[in-house]
Amino acid sequence: GENVEQHPSTLSVQEGDSAVIKCTYSDSASNYFPWYKQELGKRPQLIIDIRSNVGEKKDQRIAVTLNKTAKHFSLHITETQPEDSAVYFCAAKGGNTPLVFGKGTRLSVIA
Amino acid sequence: NAGVTQTPKFRVLKTGQSMTLLCAQDMNHEYMYWYRQDPGMGLRLIHYSVGEGTTAKGEVPDGYNVSRLKKQNFLLGLESAAPSQTSVYFCASSYGGTSYEQYFGPGTRLTVT
């Protein structure tokens, strides 16, 4: 089955700097790659997703890139703000198989 | 439109006790999921359903049972709770087909002593 590895597990950045979180997946049939943000004590919420027919997608300060050949995808957050502090999860899904999540990255933005 | 709701929010059980967690969604979603979240382990799928009357095992199904008698509800049962089942449980739902976005409930914090 699918296996998703996520790095780093913790990340601290200065406010205004960029943050990058990377994930790799194992199943070449995977075709959907979402990123979820979970604030402390809250539910995970989708912030951006990408499908395998697209290489990059942007939404304001966040972007996701996908390299199907290398089987990895990344989340980029620019001009980080304190409210970006949260745990971020990547996930991968292929065909009729359920979504598989990475173990998460705790991002701390230091003001 | 309440989205995805979960009952109860918190629960403490003694080892060997049983309980049922209820998930309800009002978005007419076909697919529903139960996850557990433990520190450093991410979200792990317990069971899921692709439609009313269907259920399937996820990554960590042992010790849990589920039922989807109505499209809007997905129940998670613990027949004989163990301390290893102490966790935060999240329910989620998605429309189905090629619409994969999952909407999560607020979670249930379960402690088994």
Side-chain angles (χ1 to χ4, degrees), chain A residues 18-90:
Chain A
S18 295
V20 180
I21 303 170
K22 299 182 179 181
C23 289
T24 61
Y25 61 99
S26 61
D27 188 350
S28 57
S30 288
N31 58 10
Y32 175 67
F33 308 92
W35 287 88
Y36 283 80
K37 175 183 180 182
Q38 185 179 27
E39 297 176 356
L40 189 62
K42 300 290 182 63
R43 72 190 79 188
Q45 292 193 297
L46 180 73
I47 55 171
I48 195 167
D49 57 12
I50 193 168
R51 300 204 180 219
S52 59
N53 58 346
V54 176
E56 183 176 5
K57 185 176 179 181
K58 289 183 180 180
D59 183 2
Q60 299 183 333
R61 295 186 299 107
I62 61 173
V64 57
T65 58
L66 171 65
N67 183 326
K68 286 181 60 180
T69 303
K71 288 190 281 190
H72 67 70
F73 56 112
S74 301
L75 177 70
H76 304 253
I77 306 174
T78 59
E79 302 173 13
T80 53
Q81 301 167 3
E83 52 264 39
D84 293 330
S85 295
V87 179
Y88 292 81
F89 294 97
C90 64

Side-chain angles (χ1 to χ4, degrees), chain B residues 39-106:
Chain B
M41 297 297 292
L43 292 152
R44 292 184 293 170
L45 184 64
I46 304 171
H47 287 281
Y48 64 103
S49 168
V50 299
E52 183 179 311
T54 76
T55 62
K57 293 180 180 180
E59 180 188 354
V60 289
D62 293 344
Y64 305 95
N65 56 76
V66 288
S67 64
R68 182 102 182 266
L69 299 180
K70 294 182 179 180
K71 185 177 183 178
Q72 62 268 35
N73 295 339
F74 195 28
L75 278 63
L76 178 71
L78 285 72
E79 293 179 343
S80 179
S84 61
Q85 294 178 303
T86 293
S87 188
V88 178
Y89 291 85
F90 284 100
C91 174
S93 68
S94 63
Y95 189 76
T98 57
S99 180
Y100 300 145
E101 180 179 354
Q102 293 189 14
Y103 296 80
F104 283 81

Side-chain angles (χ1 to χ4, degrees), chain B residues 8-26:
Chain B
K9 289 185 170 56
F10 303 94
R11 185 72 187 268
V12 178
L13 285 180
K14 293 187 187 302
T15 297
Q17 289 184 321
S18 62
M19 77 163 294
T20 300
L21 282 66
L22 170 64
C23 176
Q25 53 91 8
D26 61 2

